[in-house]
Amino acid sequence: MDIWTLPERLTVDGTDYPINWEYRQVLSVLAILSDESKPLWQRWFGAVARFYAAPVPAEHLQSAMAKLSDFITMGRPGRPGPKLFDWALDAPEIISDVNRVAG
């Protein structure tokens, strides 16, 4: 995946779905996935609902979760390492730097 030309749609089980690819939406998805007060299945269901701009049928949810994960990790395999920063705490600095550079 080329970070300079992010896709605006993903193909899940042969169907194209528009996605909320913009960085604020992805930060929101990461916040949903990090909320340990909810069971994992509920976090993934919420993340899919936030990430995809159109409803994903139940029979495509598992593939949709895999595509979401591939998008966030840029298709790089491997296990997550230690948590180096917290999106909720660090988001204001990240967003302000991105906005400054992007204009």
Side-chain angles (χ1 to χ4, degrees), residues 60-88:
H60 296 266
L61 282 177
Q62 190 153 355
S63 295
M65 288 186 283
K67 293 286 187 166
L68 185 161
S69 179
D70 284 346
F71 180 88
I72 290 175
T73 64
M74 294 176 32
R76 296 182 182 147
R79 295 172 44 108
K83 189 173 183 178
L84 301 177
F85 57 92
D86 184 302
W87 284 108

mmCIF file of all heavy atoms in Angstrom, residues 60-88:
data_model
loop_
_atom_site.group_PDB
_atom_site.id
_atom_site.type_symbol
_atom_site.label_atom_id
_atom_site.label_comp_id
_atom_site.label_asym_id
_atom_site.label_seq_id
_atom_site.Cartn_x
_atom_site.Cartn_y
_atom_site.Cartn_z
ATOM 1 N N HIS A 60 -19.871 -11.034 5.668
ATOM 2 C CA HIS A 60 -18.597 -10.449 5.214
ATOM 3 C C HIS A 60 -17.799 -9.837 6.366
ATOM 4 O O HIS A 60 -16.719 -9.287 6.127
ATOM 5 C CB HIS A 60 -18.857 -9.369 4.163
ATOM 6 C CG HIS A 60 -19.477 -9.875 2.916
ATOM 7 N ND1 HIS A 60 -18.762 -10.247 1.808
ATOM 8 C CD2 HIS A 60 -20.775 -10.091 2.602
ATOM 9 C CE1 HIS A 60 -19.577 -10.658 0.858
ATOM 10 N NE2 HIS A 60 -20.811 -10.567 1.325
ATOM 11 N N LEU A 61 -18.302 -9.923 7.593
ATOM 12 C CA LEU A 61 -17.643 -9.233 8.707
ATOM 13 C C LEU A 61 -16.215 -9.701 8.952
ATOM 14 O O LEU A 61 -15.322 -8.879 9.170
ATOM 15 C CB LEU A 61 -18.466 -9.364 9.986
ATOM 16 C CG LEU A 61 -19.670 -8.444 10.092
ATOM 17 C CD1 LEU A 61 -20.449 -8.717 11.373
ATOM 18 C CD2 LEU A 61 -19.240 -6.983 10.031
ATOM 19 N N GLN A 62 -15.980 -10.982 8.933
ATOM 20 C CA GLN A 62 -14.631 -11.474 9.215
ATOM 21 C C GLN A 62 -13.635 -10.972 8.170
ATOM 22 O O GLN A 62 -12.539 -10.515 8.500
ATOM 23 C CB GLN A 62 -14.602 -12.988 9.303
ATOM 24 C CG GLN A 62 -13.278 -13.485 9.831
ATOM 25 C CD GLN A 62 -13.402 -14.809 10.528
ATOM 26 O OE1 GLN A 62 -14.489 -15.335 10.710
ATOM 27 N NE2 GLN A 62 -12.273 -15.354 10.923
ATOM 28 N N SER A 63 -14.014 -11.036 6.914
ATOM 29 C CA SER A 63 -13.140 -10.521 5.852
ATOM 30 C C SER A 63 -12.986 -9.007 5.962
ATOM 31 O O SER A 63 -11.901 -8.471 5.721
ATOM 32 C CB SER A 63 -13.704 -10.880 4.477
ATOM 33 O OG SER A 63 -13.703 -12.271 4.295
ATOM 34 N N ALA A 64 -14.061 -8.328 6.334
ATOM 35 C CA ALA A 64 -13.997 -6.872 6.505
ATOM 36 C C ALA A 64 -13.034 -6.494 7.634
ATOM 37 O O ALA A 64 -12.287 -5.517 7.525
ATOM 38 C CB ALA A 64 -15.390 -6.309 6.779
ATOM 39 N N MET A 65 -13.031 -7.279 8.703
ATOM 40 C CA MET A 65 -12.098 -7.025 9.808
ATOM 41 C C MET A 65 -10.659 -7.228 9.336
ATOM 42 O O MET A 65 -9.769 -6.438 9.669
ATOM 43 C CB MET A 65 -12.399 -7.935 10.996
ATOM 44 C CG MET A 65 -13.667 -7.567 11.725
ATOM 45 S SD MET A 65 -13.921 -8.525 13.231
ATOM 46 C CE MET A 65 -14.475 -10.080 12.580
ATOM 47 N N ALA A 66 -10.427 -8.270 8.550
ATOM 48 C CA ALA A 66 -9.076 -8.535 8.046
ATOM 49 C C ALA A 66 -8.606 -7.400 7.134
ATOM 50 O O ALA A 66 -7.454 -6.953 7.229
ATOM 51 C CB ALA A 66 -9.047 -9.867 7.306
ATOM 52 N N LYS A 67 -9.491 -6.919 6.271
ATOM 53 C CA LYS A 67 -9.135 -5.807 5.376
ATOM 54 C C LYS A 67 -8.870 -4.526 6.165
ATOM 55 O O LYS A 67 -7.951 -3.779 5.850
ATOM 56 C CB LYS A 67 -10.250 -5.564 4.353
ATOM 57 C CG LYS A 67 -10.436 -6.668 3.355
ATOM 58 C CD LYS A 67 -9.320 -6.670 2.339
ATOM 59 C CE LYS A 67 -9.641 -7.681 1.249
ATOM 60 N NZ LYS A 67 -8.811 -7.513 0.085
ATOM 61 N N LEU A 68 -9.670 -4.273 7.195
ATOM 62 C CA LEU A 68 -9.457 -3.117 8.061
ATOM 63 C C LEU A 68 -8.075 -3.210 8.713
ATOM 64 O O LEU A 68 -7.302 -2.247 8.716
ATOM 65 C CB LEU A 68 -10.551 -3.063 9.127
ATOM 66 C CG LEU A 68 -10.606 -1.876 10.065
ATOM 67 C CD1 LEU A 68 -11.980 -1.792 10.707
ATOM 68 C CD2 LEU A 68 -9.567 -1.897 11.146
ATOM 69 N N SER A 69 -7.754 -4.374 9.238
ATOM 70 C CA SER A 69 -6.462 -4.586 9.874
ATOM 71 C C SER A 69 -5.320 -4.394 8.878
ATOM 72 O O SER A 69 -4.307 -3.737 9.199
ATOM 73 C CB SER A 69 -6.415 -5.995 10.476
ATOM 74 O OG SER A 69 -5.168 -6.228 11.067
ATOM 75 N N ASP A 70 -5.462 -4.931 7.679
ATOM 76 C CA ASP A 70 -4.438 -4.751 6.647
ATOM 77 C C ASP A 70 -4.252 -3.276 6.306
ATOM 78 O O ASP A 70 -3.133 -2.819 6.087
ATOM 79 C CB ASP A 70 -4.801 -5.520 5.375
ATOM 80 C CG ASP A 70 -4.570 -7.011 5.495
ATOM 81 O OD1 ASP A 70 -3.894 -7.442 6.453
ATOM 82 O OD2 ASP A 70 -5.079 -7.748 4.625
ATOM 83 N N PHE A 71 -5.351 -2.535 6.247
ATOM 84 C CA PHE A 71 -5.273 -1.105 5.941
ATOM 85 C C PHE A 71 -4.469 -0.382 7.013
ATOM 86 O O PHE A 71 -3.563 0.391 6.714
ATOM 87 C CB PHE A 71 -6.682 -0.506 5.835
ATOM 88 C CG PHE A 71 -6.690 0.959 5.514
ATOM 89 C CD1 PHE A 71 -6.672 1.391 4.201
ATOM 90 C CD2 PHE A 71 -6.712 1.911 6.527
ATOM 91 C CE1 PHE A 71 -6.676 2.748 3.899
ATOM 92 C CE2 PHE A 71 -6.709 3.268 6.238
ATOM 93 C CZ PHE A 71 -6.696 3.689 4.915
ATOM 94 N N ILE A 72 -4.782 -0.643 8.271
ATOM 95 C CA ILE A 72 -4.118 0.055 9.371
ATOM 96 C C ILE A 72 -2.644 -0.322 9.462
ATOM 97 O O ILE A 72 -1.790 0.524 9.722
ATOM 98 C CB ILE A 72 -4.859 -0.199 10.698
ATOM 99 C CG1 ILE A 72 -6.202 0.538 10.663
ATOM 100 C CG2 ILE A 72 -4.027 0.255 11.895
ATOM 101 C CD1 ILE A 72 -7.085 0.278 11.846
ATOM 102 N N THR A 73 -2.330 -1.590 9.218
ATOM 103 C CA THR A 73 -0.933 -2.043 9.309
ATOM 104 C C THR A 73 -0.192 -1.922 7.989
ATOM 105 O O THR A 73 0.964 -2.324 7.899
ATOM 106 C CB THR A 73 -0.855 -3.507 9.791
ATOM 107 O OG1 THR A 73 -1.478 -4.346 8.822
ATOM 108 C CG2 THR A 73 -1.491 -3.681 11.147
ATOM 109 N N MET A 74 -0.851 -1.378 6.975
ATOM 110 C CA MET A 74 -0.300 -1.237 5.628
ATOM 111 C C MET A 74 0.108 -2.592 5.059
ATOM 112 O O MET A 74 1.075 -2.717 4.322
ATOM 113 C CB MET A 74 0.869 -0.254 5.614
ATOM 114 C CG MET A 74 0.414 1.149 5.935
ATOM 115 S SD MET A 74 1.688 2.416 6.060
ATOM 116 C CE MET A 74 2.928 1.938 4.930
ATOM 117 N N GLY A 75 -0.626 -3.638 5.459
ATOM 118 C CA GLY A 75 -0.394 -4.962 4.927
ATOM 119 C C GLY A 75 0.834 -5.666 5.471
ATOM 120 O O GLY A 75 1.208 -6.723 4.982
ATOM 121 N N ARG A 76 1.446 -5.099 6.482
ATOM 122 C CA ARG A 76 2.647 -5.716 7.062
ATOM 123 C C ARG A 76 2.240 -6.786 8.062
ATOM 124 O O ARG A 76 1.534 -6.501 9.029
ATOM 125 C CB ARG A 76 3.496 -4.660 7.747
ATOM 126 C CG ARG A 76 4.037 -3.638 6.783
ATOM 127 C CD ARG A 76 4.916 -2.643 7.479
ATOM 128 N NE ARG A 76 5.373 -1.650 6.525
ATOM 129 C CZ ARG A 76 5.597 -0.397 6.818
ATOM 130 N NH1 ARG A 76 5.428 0.026 8.048
ATOM 131 N NH2 ARG A 76 6.005 0.433 5.898
ATOM 132 N N PRO A 77 2.717 -8.007 7.867
ATOM 133 C CA PRO A 77 2.381 -9.074 8.818
ATOM 134 C C PRO A 77 3.187 -8.927 10.105
ATOM 135 O O PRO A 77 4.178 -8.207 10.152
ATOM 136 C CB PRO A 77 2.775 -10.354 8.073
ATOM 137 C CG PRO A 77 3.866 -9.910 7.152
ATOM 138 C CD PRO A 77 3.539 -8.486 6.772
ATOM 139 N N GLY A 78 2.734 -9.608 11.115
ATOM 140 C CA GLY A 78 3.485 -9.619 12.363
ATOM 141 C C GLY A 78 2.605 -9.302 13.542
ATOM 142 O O GLY A 78 1.486 -8.799 13.404
ATOM 143 N N ARG A 79 3.132 -9.619 14.686
ATOM 144 C CA ARG A 79 2.408 -9.355 15.922
ATOM 145 C C ARG A 79 2.685 -7.936 16.384
ATOM 146 O O ARG A 79 3.781 -7.420 16.181
ATOM 147 C CB ARG A 79 2.851 -10.347 16.986
ATOM 148 C CG ARG A 79 2.495 -11.776 16.649
ATOM 149 C CD ARG A 79 3.108 -12.741 17.626
ATOM 150 N NE ARG A 79 2.976 -12.294 18.992
ATOM 151 C CZ ARG A 79 2.161 -12.827 19.893
ATOM 152 N NH1 ARG A 79 1.416 -13.847 19.559
ATOM 153 N NH2 ARG A 79 2.106 -12.361 21.117
ATOM 154 N N PRO A 80 1.717 -7.311 17.051
ATOM 155 C CA PRO A 80 1.962 -5.962 17.553
ATOM 156 C C PRO A 80 3.028 -5.989 18.652
ATOM 157 O O PRO A 80 3.119 -6.925 19.429
ATOM 158 C CB PRO A 80 0.610 -5.520 18.108
ATOM 159 C CG PRO A 80 -0.196 -6.758 18.231
ATOM 160 C CD PRO A 80 0.387 -7.787 17.321
ATOM 161 N N GLY A 81 3.828 -4.964 18.681
ATOM 162 C CA GLY A 81 4.865 -4.839 19.703
ATOM 163 C C GLY A 81 4.329 -4.079 20.903
ATOM 164 O O GLY A 81 3.116 -3.881 21.045
ATOM 165 N N PRO A 82 5.219 -3.637 21.753
ATOM 166 C CA PRO A 82 4.779 -2.889 22.922
ATOM 167 C C PRO A 82 4.148 -1.557 22.512
ATOM 168 O O PRO A 82 4.488 -0.989 21.473
ATOM 169 C CB PRO A 82 6.066 -2.666 23.718
ATOM 170 C CG PRO A 82 7.154 -2.793 22.720
ATOM 171 C CD PRO A 82 6.664 -3.758 21.677
ATOM 172 N N LYS A 83 3.252 -1.077 23.318
ATOM 173 C CA LYS A 83 2.572 0.189 23.043
ATOM 174 C C LYS A 83 3.557 1.338 23.266
ATOM 175 O O LYS A 83 4.054 1.533 24.375
ATOM 176 C CB LYS A 83 1.361 0.322 23.967
ATOM 177 C CG LYS A 83 0.479 1.481 23.627
ATOM 178 C CD LYS A 83 -0.776 1.451 24.474
ATOM 179 C CE LYS A 83 -1.719 2.552 24.104
ATOM 180 N NZ LYS A 83 -2.948 2.507 24.887
ATOM 181 N N LEU A 84 3.853 2.059 22.204
ATOM 182 C CA LEU A 84 4.840 3.125 22.277
ATOM 183 C C LEU A 84 4.228 4.491 22.546
ATOM 184 O O LEU A 84 4.915 5.392 23.004
ATOM 185 C CB LEU A 84 5.649 3.172 20.974
ATOM 186 C CG LEU A 84 6.405 1.887 20.628
ATOM 187 C CD1 LEU A 84 7.096 2.035 19.281
ATOM 188 C CD2 LEU A 84 7.409 1.556 21.718
ATOM 189 N N PHE A 85 2.954 4.639 22.229
ATOM 190 C CA PHE A 85 2.255 5.887 22.515
ATOM 191 C C PHE A 85 0.774 5.605 22.608
ATOM 192 O O PHE A 85 0.310 4.538 22.265
ATOM 193 C CB PHE A 85 2.558 6.971 21.470
ATOM 194 C CG PHE A 85 2.232 6.572 20.060
ATOM 195 C CD1 PHE A 85 0.996 6.847 19.518
ATOM 196 C CD2 PHE A 85 3.168 5.928 19.274
ATOM 197 C CE1 PHE A 85 0.688 6.479 18.227
ATOM 198 C CE2 PHE A 85 2.876 5.554 17.968
ATOM 199 C CZ PHE A 85 1.641 5.833 17.453
ATOM 200 N N ASP A 86 0.041 6.567 23.078
ATOM 201 C CA ASP A 86 -1.394 6.428 23.266
ATOM 202 C C ASP A 86 -2.092 7.401 22.327
ATOM 203 O O ASP A 86 -1.883 8.609 22.421
ATOM 204 C CB ASP A 86 -1.743 6.727 24.726
ATOM 205 C CG ASP A 86 -3.205 6.508 25.028
ATOM 206 O OD1 ASP A 86 -4.054 7.144 24.366
ATOM 207 O OD2 ASP A 86 -3.497 5.707 25.921
ATOM 208 N N TRP A 87 -2.901 6.863 21.409
ATOM 209 C CA TRP A 87 -3.571 7.730 20.432
ATOM 210 C C TRP A 87 -4.405 8.800 21.111
ATOM 211 O O TRP A 87 -4.429 9.947 20.670
ATOM 212 C CB TRP A 87 -4.442 6.899 19.494
ATOM 213 C CG TRP A 87 -3.655 6.159 18.466
ATOM 214 C CD1 TRP A 87 -3.441 4.812 18.427
ATOM 215 C CD2 TRP A 87 -2.953 6.702 17.353
ATOM 216 N NE1 TRP A 87 -2.647 4.495 17.353
ATOM 217 C CE2 TRP A 87 -2.341 5.640 16.682
ATOM 218 C CE3 TRP A 87 -2.779 7.992 16.869
ATOM 219 C CZ2 TRP A 87 -1.564 5.815 15.531
ATOM 220 C CZ3 TRP A 87 -2.019 8.171 15.727
ATOM 221 C CH2 TRP A 87 -1.421 7.102 15.076
ATOM 222 N N ALA A 88 -5.107 8.453 22.172
ATOM 223 C CA ALA A 88 -5.974 9.429 22.831
ATOM 224 C C ALA A 88 -5.160 10.560 23.440
ATOM 225 O O ALA A 88 -5.547 11.731 23.363
ATOM 226 C CB ALA A 88 -6.824 8.747 23.891
#
